[in-house]
Amino acid sequence: MSRRSYNGSAHEKRLSKYRVSDDELFNYVLRVAILSYVMIPKPVGSPRASNSDTKDKEHSSRLSALTNFSIADMFRDVRDGSKSVKFPEKLLKVLEQKLQDIAMGKDPAYSDQLVRRTMAKFYGQFMVDSFKRQMKENRKIEELILMFATHATGVLKKEPTLAGDGWKLELNNQIAHFVKMLRECLRGLHHVSPELLSRLDIYTAKLAPAQAYSDSGYDSSSTSRDRDSVSVPAISSKVSDMQLVQTVARLFKIPEQAIQAEVDQLRGQVVTEKAALMDLKTCLKNINAGAAFPARRDDFDSEAAWNNWKSLETTHLQQLMLAMVGTNPELAKSTPSDNLPSYQPPDSTRPGSVYSIDSSMGNSRHPSISSRRSLFDPTMQGIDELDGDEEIPVGHHFTFIPPNPKKYYQRLVEYCLVADLEVMLSPEVDDNDEVSLGILSPSHLDLISECAIRWRIGHSFRAACFLDLVRQFYERNDVPMECIPEALQGVVKVTSELDIKMWPVHDVDYLSSIYAGLFNIFLSSLYHAMDSLPGLKPSEIEPYLVVLEHVRDSGLLDQFDVDVGARMTDVQDRAKEVCAHWYDLKMQELQSAPGVNRALPLLYMTDEIEKSTKALDKRFPEPILGAIDITSIYVEVAIPRIITELTDSQKRLFEASMNGPTPDVPIEDIFALYRRSKMLMGMYDAFCPNGNFEFEITSFFEPYVRQWLLNTDNKTAQWVEAAIKADNFVAEEGTEGRSSSIVDLFESLRTPINFLQDLEWENDYQEARFFTSLSKTISKAVEQYCRSVENLFLTEMYPRPSEYIQPQKSSAWLEKARQLTITGEKRVEPFNFRPESCVKLNNVEAARKLLDKMYDQMQADKLAEVLIHSAPPVPEKVERERALFSVKIVIAEGLVPPDGSPSSRLDTFVTLSDEAGNRLAKTRTIYESLNPRWEETFDFSVDKPLWLMVSVRDRALVGKHDTVGRAYVCLDPRRFGDFLTHELWMDLDTEGRILVRVSMEGEKDDIQFYFGRGFRSLKRAEGDMLRIFIDKMSPFIQQCLSRNVLKTLMKSRDQGLDYNKALGGVTALYRSALGASSSEVQIPLPQGEKPRLRPEELTDIEIEQAILPLFDYFDANLQTLNTYLSDTAKQMVMSRVWKDILGVIEGLLIPPLSDQPSDMKPLSDKEVDIVFKWLKFLRDYFYANGEGPVPLETIQNQKYRDILSIRLYYDWHTDALMEECVRMMQQSLSAGIPLRKKAKSVYAQKNLGTIKQKKREKKEKKETEATSEQTIMRILRMRPRTQEFIAQQLQIMETMQAEQEKRAREQEERKLKRLASNQSNPLPPVPPLPQT
């Protein structure tokens, strides 16, 4: 830690108030320091002895060493099974640098050349990677020493100055230097095992050469590289030679002269080895006698703990006594034999710091209790024979142990801490210098350790005491936070090597009180750290959490009844208060910003909450201390507040979002609030699963969705207009012939669908209602687009002469059409189609596919199921039920021109108006016809009976249109409640009649219903446009396939015209269609019939030549249709053309079915053959061997087969035809006349799948229905005196059908019960004719 870490200054008087005076403390500490020096005196210089004496003494000393020491003896204790101790891994790095410095001569303490050589040799081996890896793996100090001894042996054996066994003596010295160097390297490392240090001290003592006994009772010797002289060691009385004494003087700030006087006074009188030995013996006796010091049974919770401590303490005391006697045998004379145990190899430790311990708890010994003589000295063998001492009293009678050792020890550690802190804060230490988090200096550590051993302070109390003092200094702000975890490591180490259950009770209580204090301190710090929420960072509280988690997990808080849960609740409450305060300030800040948009502050606040929540969740993924979930607390406070704020602002927000076309709060911001609120509620549910806050988000935002749907509905008309306005109806590439308007429109319609789906509305029923409303909007937009496109289509197909002149192509078929000699008949001008018209039909066809995709995207079927099963109870209906009527204007007959001219033709259209004269619908105009067929359908939604006026009008190019006639129909739900299609022939108020088909179904607010209406609109538009295509082609087809052309062909044969010239005009395209075809249907003639003679005068080429203008017309227009129509639309158009051709061919042969007389005459046999030749040529043209626009299945449909059947009955006798008709009628009656089907429901057209299914069913039904009797009756219309028979047959069919329908209605009586009761209600009166 850096000096800058300290925020206060230490003072020498800032000490705890113990009942220990400074003088008493100084006295006892000084005694221990002096004793330490006495036990291991330092050598000082002495006069040189003569060379001969020196050599003799040196030789004698080395021989003595050889007899008393070996490497095997040195490691015997380890090999005999004592637990191996590993050195710190960092030692290798420190040792590497130390060896390098010695080898390079940079370390003056190891300047001897022989030492440098042995160290350099070992350094070379040390740098080998394999050796380094081996040392890192096992980390055994003995292997390091053995490896050094091996390499040193190699060096020493080659040394010429070491003759004979001299290298063996020098090897001891080299190993001693190496062990000393290891001890120095370990001194600078933290958390060094005390046992490791103790072993090194033992090895040092064993390696020292034997010394001559001196007067002071100590042996000392030294081996120098100076071979000429040997210094004689002696005990100094100077303080300068006493390291620990100097440390005491600096600690208590005693001058050197004064400390020297104190030493002189104490040494020899008070501080003696015998006194130290007596202290140890007294401790042993106190233990056996159960005295209070050093401990007794009552100090432990269990017998096991007491026995464990007693065993360890006794063993340690005995080893200390043995070590003292071993270094000074004279002490054995005053030691009773029963107090001295037989020797065991000591396994002692020396703490590297005040809180370092060994695994044996009490086996530690200080290096001052060591000897520079082998412990296997022969003098130890006579220890049992020494005279005994006087009886030792039990009690606190000590020389070196103070009255209250623990308090003295605590006071000493505090003194050392203050002193070291003063040094750290002194100007001599730079601000950037790194200092130890352990605070204590090595010299103070040595002093504290020496006192702890002499005062019998256990390791548990040492660690707890140091932690307590650091805690106090931290509370006074004298040390940084980092010192607390460092101090805790001492406790952790002690507890890891000795279970806390084995500690003395007072030490456990002491540690518990310290932990309780730490818990209060750091929980308070954590409490105040909550003030940084929501910007709190893990680094701000991580140091507190390390301590709190350690204290909590220790279990010691239970002894003080600390309610951890309550304290955690306090922190949580504080966090909630801070979060609430932060929210209030932030919201006040956001709301104070200028602006009228009330939603913006709420939106900004939701952003802040989301950002803070995600940040806190990332910083604190797990609850703090397993109980304080910061993220959940923040969410629990902030989210309910923002939602409550939103709820309180509901009325203001709604008003601000509805105040005009440009509201103060845009609807987009409201939906942004919805998304943010939904996201926040999701966070709340995730982080607060047990929270009770609820918010009906769907109920809150439902009005806004309804308003948005209304706004969207109002915009759709603009979307349709804009899409059509921007479209020039030119087919885009790769789009199947469609233009931009339909794509643009459906892109616009898809946008609200995506918007609603993106909302992910939680209420399924409400979501289904939203999509239902949107489907109604989509249906309206589709209907509007169909109307707009149809109007443009009609303008192109029926241009006004002043606006558009039909361009005519100069072609052969036009010339031939003009050159035809016709008298008294108006000729039909062929119509050429424009590309734009084709594109419009493509657009309608593409719209059906796009609408079907939209149906699937919305999952309309699923939504319909939701509406059925999830709908709330329906209240009593107040509003009337609505009904949807479909009114189809089919055909008019017998119209009379207003001028009464029989040769005049009418250009008619039909309008439908309500009771007030408002026009509700209008058909297209059918030109030049007194029997016009419109086949157009209109829908009307009513909730009460509605009278419609059906007006047939004659279009005038200039001025007002003339009214041809009127009729009235009432759309009454009670009348049409059977849901069947009703054909109403209504007489006009003038002349003629009109056929109207009316059907009804209930109108429902249902998504499938609205999609069905949309598909119906598209289908009708498509059908109307196809019909107009056919209407434009049909007159020319009728003209080319008319009886006039047939008669002209027959007359031309009589006039003898040259057809070879006409043959040259036939194109090669149709040559393949000439001749008989194998696929032609052959109809056998019944027996008895006279076979017709084929006209030999006319060839097939001549017959085809008669309708050549029709083929040329098809060629000219098929090029346009092929180019601009899509494949589907092209097939539909050509299929309709083929259907129209079949109708024209049928019209040539027989009249329509009716009970009215017909003036149509049957064709001759030759004419019938020509007609069927034309049918064959046209069939081959449209099929073109499979390459034509219409498939063979469509060409040879049921209508085609019915026409072929005409040939079978055409020349039968009248009676035979009647008999065949009756027979077939009987077969039909026995099989059952088909009932009138119900009108096609909107639901049957809800998507393309249902539409195609209905089409298949219709086709299959047509194929099964027999039409031969109708064909026969139509042939009979051309025969005289058959009207009564035909009317009778038709009456029978209608009667039978009515009976079957009656039976069907009776079977469905329950379903139609309401209908039956309403049948008797009279219709409302006919309204008066509106004034025009």
Side-chain angles (χ1 to χ4, degrees):
M1 68 182 177
S2 173
R3 178 174 175 265
R4 294 183 182 273
S5 303
Y6 299 103
N7 298 322
S9 61
H11 191 270
E12 63 178 354
K13 299 299 183 181
R14 188 167 53 195
L15 303 172
S16 302
K17 296 181 179 180
Y18 292 106
R19 296 179 182 178
V20 178
S21 66
D22 293 347
D23 293 339
E24 292 176 343
L25 178 64
F26 168 74
N27 184 271
Y28 279 101
V29 172
L30 184 59
R31 293 182 185 184
V32 173
I34 297 172
L35 179 62
S36 174
Y37 177 74
V38 171
M39 297 296 295
I40 303 181
K42 293 184 178 180
V44 296
S46 62
R48 291 187 178 181
S50 64
N51 291 341
S52 60
D53 294 341
T54 301
K55 290 182 180 180
D56 293 341
K57 292 180 179 179
E58 179 179 352
H59 181 69
S60 175
S61 176
R62 291 182 180 177
L63 289 177
S64 176
L66 284 173
T67 60
N68 295 324
F69 170 77
S70 70
I71 294 294
D73 290 337
M74 176 175 145
F75 297 145
R76 181 187 304 168
D77 58 325
V78 177
R79 293 179 180 176
D80 288 344
S82 177
K83 185 176 65 175
S84 179
V85 180
K86 295 185 178 182
F87 58 79
E89 190 174 348
K90 293 182 180 180
L91 174 64
L92 295 177
K93 186 175 181 180
V94 177
L95 183 59
E96 178 183 343
Q97 184 63 41
K98 188 74 172 178
L99 289 171
Q100 182 180 351
D101 292 343
I102 293 174
M104 297 177 66
K106 295 182 180 180
D107 193 334
Y110 300 89
S111 59
D112 183 80
Q113 291 298 320
L114 198 54
V115 172
R116 287 180 57 190
R117 285 170 57 193
T118 55
M119 294 291 184
K121 181 68 175 178
F122 177 70
Y123 176 68
Q125 173 66 23
F126 186 83
M127 296 305 294
V128 177
D129 292 338
S130 59
F131 179 74
K132 276 190 175 181
R133 286 196 299 270
Q134 181 183 355
M135 290 297 101
K136 285 183 179 179
E137 291 175 0
N138 53 48
R139 289 163 40 204
K140 292 182 179 179
I141 200 72
E142 291 79 12
E143 291 195 14
L144 273 177
I145 299 174
L146 285 173
M147 186 59 67
F148 174 79
T150 301
H151 287 78
T153 301
V155 174
L156 295 178
K157 283 184 177 181
K158 297 178 182 179
E159 175 61 35
T161 60
L162 300 176
D165 292 335
W167 67 271
K168 296 182 180 180
L169 299 177
E170 185 59 31
L171 179 60
N172 267 15
N173 187 48
Q174 294 295 330
I175 296 175
H177 280 295
F178 184 73
V179 173
K180 174 187 175 185
M181 183 193 65
L182 291 176
R183 187 65 176 81
E184 292 175 353
C185 292
L186 289 171
R187 183 182 294 274
L189 300 178
H190 292 289
H191 309 303
V192 180
S193 171
E195 184 179 353
L196 176 62
L197 298 175
S198 178
R199 285 190 180 183
L200 289 177
D201 295 337
I202 294 174
Y203 299 157
T204 301
K206 289 182 178 182
L207 288 166
Q211 298 174 344
Y213 187 76
S214 65
D215 295 338
S216 62
Y218 292 105
D219 297 326
S220 64
S221 66
S222 175
T223 302
S224 172
R225 296 271 49 85
D226 187 357
R227 304 298 176 185
D228 297 332
S229 65
V230 178
S231 59
V232 178
I235 297 178
S236 172
S237 60
K238 295 181 180 179
V239 174
S240 58
D241 295 330
M242 304 177 185
Q243 184 177 359
L244 282 185
V245 174
Q246 293 178 11
T247 301
V248 173
R250 289 191 300 270
L251 177 63
F252 290 93
K253 298 182 180 178
I254 307 297
E256 183 177 357
Q257 184 177 2
I259 197 67
Q260 184 68 55
E262 292 287 343
V263 170
D264 294 341
Q265 182 180 357
L266 291 174
R267 185 174 179 183
Q269 299 179 7
V270 178
V271 179
T272 63
E273 293 175 277
K274 184 176 180 180
L277 188 61
M278 290 300 297
D279 281 359
L280 297 177
K281 291 190 288 184
T282 303
C283 288
L284 278 174
K285 191 157 189 177
N286 285 349
I287 293 173
N288 294 328
F293 181 85
R296 53 188 172 185
R297 172 63 183 85
D298 295 341
D299 294 334
F300 295 89
D301 271 340
S302 65
E303 191 70 28
W306 157 248
N307 291 331
N308 179 71
W309 177 88
K310 180 179 178 182
S311 174
L312 293 175
E313 182 70 9
T314 302
T315 302
H316 197 196
L317 289 171
Q318 291 174 349
Q319 288 180 353
L320 289 176
M321 293 168 62
L322 277 174
M324 293 181 67
V325 173
T327 57
N328 188 358
E330 290 294 325
L331 294 176
K333 298 178 180 180
S334 60
T335 303
S337 60
D338 57 352
N339 287 335
L340 288 175
S342 61
Y343 174 75
Q344 297 178 358
D347 186 14
S348 57
T349 70
R350 183 191 192 285
S353 69
V354 73
Y355 45 81
S356 297
I357 68 163
D358 64 337
S359 60
S360 61
M361 285 300 298
N363 286 346
S364 64
R365 61 184 296 277
H366 195 270
S368 61
I369 317 299
S370 64
S371 171
R372 302 199 60 181
R373 175 192 182 103
S374 172
L375 290 180
F376 295 96
D377 194 288
T379 57
M380 294 295 295
Q381 297 175 2
I383 193 169
D384 293 336
E385 301 175 0
L386 298 177
D387 297 334
D389 290 342
E390 297 179 358
E391 188 68 24
I392 301 173
V394 176
H396 202 92
H397 310 289
F398 301 103
T399 302
F400 297 95
I401 303 176
N404 194 335
K406 292 185 177 180
K407 289 188 176 181
Y408 275 77
Y409 176 82
Q410 189 172 21
R411 185 71 177 276
L412 172 62
V413 175
E414 189 173 11
Y415 256 106
C416 293
L417 286 171
V418 171
D420 288 335
L421 286 174
E422 287 180 348
V423 173
M424 291 180 181
L425 296 172
S426 64
E428 288 78 9
V429 179
D430 189 80
D431 290 342
N432 296 321
D433 290 346
E434 291 294 326
V435 294
S436 172
L437 292 175
I439 305 174
L440 294 173
S441 63
S443 60
H444 286 163
L445 284 174
D446 289 341
L447 178 62
I448 293 172
S449 297
E450 193 72 26
C451 291
I453 292 174
R454 289 298 167 188
W455 296 349
R456 308 313 302 153
I457 304 298
H459 292 285
S460 57
F461 183 82
R462 297 187 204 181
C465 174
F466 183 75
L467 177 62
D468 186 26
L469 291 172
V470 173
R471 174 186 62 83
Q472 296 178 28
F473 277 80
Y474 173 73
E475 285 188 276
R476 297 197 297 264
N477 207 26
D478 289 339
V479 296
M481 168 66 207
E482 292 80 3
C483 292
I484 299 294
E486 184 73 13
L488 276 173
Q489 287 302 314
V491 178
V492 172
K493 190 169 182 62
V494 172
T495 54
S496 66
E497 297 184 359
L498 181 66
D499 191 349
I500 199 169
K501 295 179 181 178
M502 298 295 181
W503 286 22
V505 174
H506 46 78
D507 288 355
V508 175
D509 294 341
Y510 183 35
L511 182 61
S512 300
S513 64
I514 297 170
Y515 273 15
L518 288 174
F519 186 79
N520 291 331
I521 292 170
F522 290 105
L523 197 62
S524 176
S525 300
L526 181 64
Y527 179 92
H528 293 290
M530 296 296 108
D531 294 345
S532 301
L533 284 174
L536 183 65
K537 297 179 180 179
S539 58
E540 299 177 16
I541 61 174
E542 186 176 2
Y544 310 146
L545 297 181
V546 171
V547 178
L548 289 172
E549 288 174 355
H550 173 80
V551 171
R552 180 200 60 191
D553 297 339
S554 69
L556 296 178
L557 294 179
D558 299 338
Q559 298 187 16
F560 286 84
D561 296 329
V562 177
D563 192 346
V564 178
R567 300 299 304 276
M568 296 296 179
T569 303
D570 294 340
V571 178
Q572 292 175 350
D573 293 341
R574 179 58 181 172
K576 292 178 181 179
E577 293 175 6
V578 172
C579 291
H581 182 66
W582 170 86
Y583 175 88
D584 294 338
L585 292 179
K586 194 67 179 180
M587 180 56 74
Q588 184 179 0
E589 175 188 348
L590 293 174
Q591 290 179 342
S592 62
V596 296
N597 191 341
R598 297 179 180 272
L600 283 181
L602 297 172
L603 283 173
Y604 292 149
M605 194 66 200
T606 58
D607 290 340
E608 291 289 339
I609 293 175
E610 180 190 15
K611 188 194 317 179
S612 300
T613 302
K614 290 181 177 179
L616 288 174
D617 186 45
K618 184 177 181 181
R619 296 171 189 165
F620 304 99
E622 299 296 334
I624 295 175
L625 300 176
I628 304 174
D629 193 339
I630 295 295
T631 310
S632 298
I633 292 173
Y634 175 79
V635 167
E636 187 179 4
V637 172
I639 291 181
R641 284 177 171 265
I642 184 63
I643 297 300
T644 303
E645 187 80 26
L646 178 63
T647 306
D648 294 341
S649 306
Q650 182 176 12
K651 182 178 180 181
R652 296 191 299 271
L653 283 174
F654 190 80
E655 293 174 351
S657 63
M658 303 296 172
N659 57 355
T662 56
D664 295 338
V665 179
I667 195 70
E668 292 79 8
D669 289 350
I670 296 295
F671 286 116
L673 269 178
Y674 165 78
R675 295 186 183 92
R676 308 298 295 173
S677 301
K678 185 177 180 181
M679 178 269 300
L680 291 180
M681 289 305 299
M683 284 186 171
Y684 183 85
D685 294 338
F687 289 105
C688 307
N690 299 323
N692 55 4
F693 180 76
E694 295 181 358
F695 174 50
E696 292 293 336
I697 188 171
T698 55
S699 300
F700 183 90
F701 286 98
E702 182 186 11
Y704 299 102
V705 180
R706 296 288 184 189
Q707 183 62 35
W708 173 81
L709 288 170
L710 182 60
N711 296 343
T712 302
D713 186 71
N714 296 333
K715 292 177 183 177
T716 50
Q718 302 174 9
W719 293 347
V720 175
E721 294 173 1
I724 293 177
K725 185 177 180 180
D727 193 2
N728 55 7
F729 293 98
V730 175
E732 298 179 348
E733 294 184 4
T735 58
E736 298 183 355
R738 62 175 179 261
S739 61
S740 62
S741 60
I742 194 64
V743 177
D744 294 343
L745 175 61
F746 273 85
E747 283 295 331
S748 300
L749 294 175
R750 194 173 290 108
T751 300
I753 296 176
N754 295 334
F755 176 81
L756 273 182
Q757 290 177 336
D758 291 342
L759 289 180
E760 297 179 353
W761 203 259
E762 295 177 354
N763 189 308
D764 292 340
Y765 177 76
Q766 290 181 355
E767 184 182 37
R769 296 306 310 165
F770 295 156
F771 277 106
T772 300
S773 178
L774 185 58
S775 65
K776 183 178 181 180
T777 299
I778 293 172
S779 177
K780 288 173 57 179
V782 170
E783 291 176 8
Q784 181 184 352
Y785 182 82
C786 291
R787 289 194 302 270
S788 301
V789 170
E790 279 192 89
N791 291 333
L792 295 175
F793 184 80
L794 288 172
T795 302
E796 295 169 357
M797 302 300 281
Y798 301 102
R800 291 180 179 272
S802 59
E803 297 176 355
Y804 175 73
I805 299 178
Q806 174 74 39
Q808 302 296 332
K809 295 183 180 179
S810 178
S811 58
W813 66 271
L814 280 176
E815 293 298 328
K816 293 175 183 177
R818 292 192 183 98
Q819 292 174 3
L820 289 175
T821 57
I822 300 174
T823 58
E825 185 177 356
K826 183 177 178 181
R827 302 304 298 168
V828 176
E829 289 291 336
F831 183 84
N832 286 334
F833 296 103
R834 301 176 60 182
E836 295 85 347
S837 303
C838 298
V839 172
K840 292 179 177 64
L841 181 59
N842 292 339
N843 283 356
V844 174
E845 190 266 333
R848 296 176 67 188
K849 296 180 180 178
L850 293 173
L851 188 61
D852 190 63
K853 291 181 179 178
M854 194 171 287
Y855 184 93
D856 294 337
Q857 179 185 356
M858 292 174 64
Q859 298 181 332
D861 294 334
K862 181 180 178 180
L863 295 175
E865 290 292 327
V866 171
L867 290 174
I868 294 173
H869 298 99
S870 303
V874 181
E876 295 184 2
K877 294 185 177 180
V878 179
E879 299 180 357
R880 301 177 182 176
E881 291 186 356
R882 300 189 66 86
L884 180 66
F885 280 90
S886 293
V887 178
K888 185 174 185 178
I889 308 299
V890 184
I891 192 173
E893 293 182 352
L895 300 183
V896 178
D899 56 6
S901 174
S903 61
S904 298
R905 294 290 184 266
L906 296 175
D907 300 333
T908 54
F909 64 92
V910 178
T911 61
L912 301 177
S913 305
D914 63 6
E915 301 167 353
N918 300 316
R919 178 186 291 182
L920 303 180
K922 183 178 83 68
T923 69
R924 70 187 189 282
T925 302
I926 302 299
Y927 294 91
E928 300 291 332
S929 176
L930 296 179
N931 300 295
R933 178 178 289 273
W934 294 278
E935 296 282 353
E936 292 193 42
T937 306
F938 306 96
D939 288 342
F940 300 97
S941 177
V942 300
D943 59 355
K944 61 182 179 179
L946 173 66
W947 277 98
L948 289 181
M949 180 175 66
V950 183
S951 301
V952 182
R953 295 178 177 269
D954 181 28
R955 177 176 292 278
L957 295 178
V958 180
K960 186 178 180 182
H961 307 307
D962 296 327
T963 300
V964 178
R966 294 188 181 94
Y968 299 91
V969 61
C970 182
L971 303 182
D972 188 357
R974 296 168 296 183
R975 180 182 178 187
F976 299 96
D978 55 1
F979 303 107
L980 299 175
T981 300
H982 295 258
E983 292 192 355
L984 305 178
W985 278 102
M986 299 184 296
D987 294 329
L988 300 178
D989 57 359
T990 54
E991 292 289 339
R993 60 179 185 169
I994 186 170
L995 176 60
V996 178
R997 292 191 182 122
V998 181
S999 62
M1000 184 200 80
E1001 65 178 306
E1003 184 175 29
K1004 296 182 180 180
D1005 188 19
D1006 180 77
I1007 186 170
Q1008 293 179 334
F1009 180 85
Y1010 292 126
F1011 267 101
R1013 289 187 64 171
F1015 277 108
R1016 176 185 283 184
S1017 299
L1018 291 171
K1019 182 61 179 176
R1020 287 177 179 172
E1022 183 182 74
D1024 292 343
M1025 296 171 75
L1026 286 173
R1027 192 178 301 112
I1028 293 173
F1029 267 102
I1030 304 306
D1031 289 347
K1032 283 299 181 181
M1033 301 174 72
S1034 183
F1036 192 73
I1037 294 173
Q1038 293 176 7
Q1039 179 176 282
C1040 294
L1041 300 176
S1042 64
R1043 290 200 170 199
N1044 292 331
V1045 175
L1046 189 62
K1047 293 182 182 300
T1048 302
L1049 180 60
M1050 298 297 295
K1051 291 179 181 179
S1052 65
R1053 180 67 186 90
D1054 297 336
Q1055 296 175 2
L1057 294 178
D1058 185 7
Y1059 283 96
N1060 293 327
K1061 184 177 180 180
L1063 180 60
V1066 180
T1067 60
L1069 176 65
Y1070 307 107
R1071 291 185 183 275
S1072 61
L1074 300 179
S1077 173
S1078 61
S1079 62
E1080 181 178 0
V1081 180
Q1082 302 293 333
I1083 307 296
L1085 294 175
Q1087 295 181 359
E1089 286 291 316
K1090 181 180 179 180
R1092 293 188 297 269
L1093 298 176
R1094 295 176 61 87
E1096 299 177 359
E1097 295 82 359
L1098 291 175
T1099 65
D1100 287 348
I1101 296 177
E1102 292 173 337
I1103 295 173
E1104 184 181 5
Q1105 185 72 25
I1107 60 173
L1108 187 60
L1110 180 60
F1111 288 117
D1112 289 342
Y1113 175 69
F1114 286 155
D1115 286 342
N1117 282 278
L1118 277 179
Q1119 183 177 1
T1120 301
L1121 299 179
N1122 274 324
T1123 304
Y1124 297 103
L1125 280 179
S1126 65
D1127 293 339
T1128 305
K1130 180 171 59 179
Q1131 184 175 342
M1132 287 191 300
V1133 171
M1134 298 312 297
S1135 298
R1136 290 293 185 94
V1137 173
W1138 175 249
K1139 181 179 179 181
D1140 189 69
I1141 289 174
L1142 293 178
V1144 173
I1145 294 293
E1146 186 182 43
L1148 283 175
L1149 297 172
I1150 56 177
L1153 181 61
S1154 174
D1155 58 354
Q1156 300 296 322
S1158 174
D1159 56 356
M1160 184 175 176
K1161 302 300 181 182
L1163 297 177
S1164 65
D1165 291 344
K1166 294 181 180 180
E1167 290 173 336
V1168 170
D1169 288 341
I1170 291 172
V1171 171
F1172 278 97
K1173 283 284 186 181
W1174 286 349
L1175 178 62
K1176 174 181 175 299
F1177 295 152
L1178 289 168
R1179 184 202 66 181
D1180 294 342
Y1181 177 81
F1182 276 87
Y1183 181 59
N1185 291 327
E1187 298 180 359
V1190 184
L1192 184 62
E1193 181 184 2
T1194 304
I1195 291 176
Q1196 296 183 352
N1197 56 16
Q1198 184 63 38
K1199 186 73 170 178
Y1200 178 81
R1201 293 193 291 270
D1202 290 343
I1203 293 175
L1204 293 180
S1205 68
I1206 294 174
R1207 197 170 192 174
L1208 176 64
Y1209 303 108
Y1210 204 77
D1211 54 359
W1212 276 25
H1213 192 273
T1214 301
D1215 293 339
L1217 287 174
M1218 289 183 178
E1219 291 176 2
E1220 183 69 14
C1221 181
V1222 172
R1223 186 182 64 81
M1224 290 186 176
M1225 180 67 69
Q1226 290 175 350
Q1227 291 179 356
S1228 300
L1229 292 176
S1230 61
I1233 297 178
L1235 296 174
R1236 284 187 298 164
K1237 62 178 181 179
K1238 291 187 178 182
K1240 187 184 294 183
S1241 170
V1242 171
Y1243 287 96
Q1245 306 177 58
K1246 62 184 181 181
N1247 56 23
L1248 287 181
T1250 55
I1251 293 174
K1252 292 178 181 178
Q1253 178 64 25
K1254 287 294 181 183
K1255 188 178 293 185
R1256 285 193 296 269
E1257 294 175 358
K1258 181 179 179 181
K1259 181 179 178 181
E1260 293 172 359
K1261 187 174 182 180
K1262 280 187 176 181
E1263 292 177 354
T1264 57
E1265 290 180 357
T1267 58
S1268 297
E1269 66 271 18
Q1270 296 183 10
T1271 301
I1272 292 174
M1273 284 190 287
R1274 292 175 68 178
I1275 294 174
L1276 288 174
R1277 280 196 68 191
M1278 297 184 293
R1279 308 288 177 91
R1281 296 179 302 277
T1282 58
Q1283 285 73 28
E1284 184 178 352
F1285 175 78
I1286 295 173
Q1288 182 182 7
Q1289 294 300 313
L1290 292 177
Q1291 182 65 34
I1292 292 173
M1293 291 177 61
E1294 290 180 1
T1295 302
M1296 293 301 298
Q1297 188 173 24
E1299 290 180 357
Q1300 290 190 11
E1301 289 176 357
K1302 181 179 179 181
R1303 288 195 297 269
R1305 283 197 298 268
E1306 289 175 354
Q1307 293 176 359
E1308 298 180 3
E1309 185 176 3
R1310 293 180 181 178
K1311 298 181 181 179
L1312 303 176
K1313 193 173 183 179
R1314 179 177 57 84
L1315 174 64
S1317 62
N1318 294 334
Q1319 288 292 334
S1320 60
N1321 295 333
L1323 295 176
V1326 177
L1329 187 68
Q1331 300 295 327
T1332 57

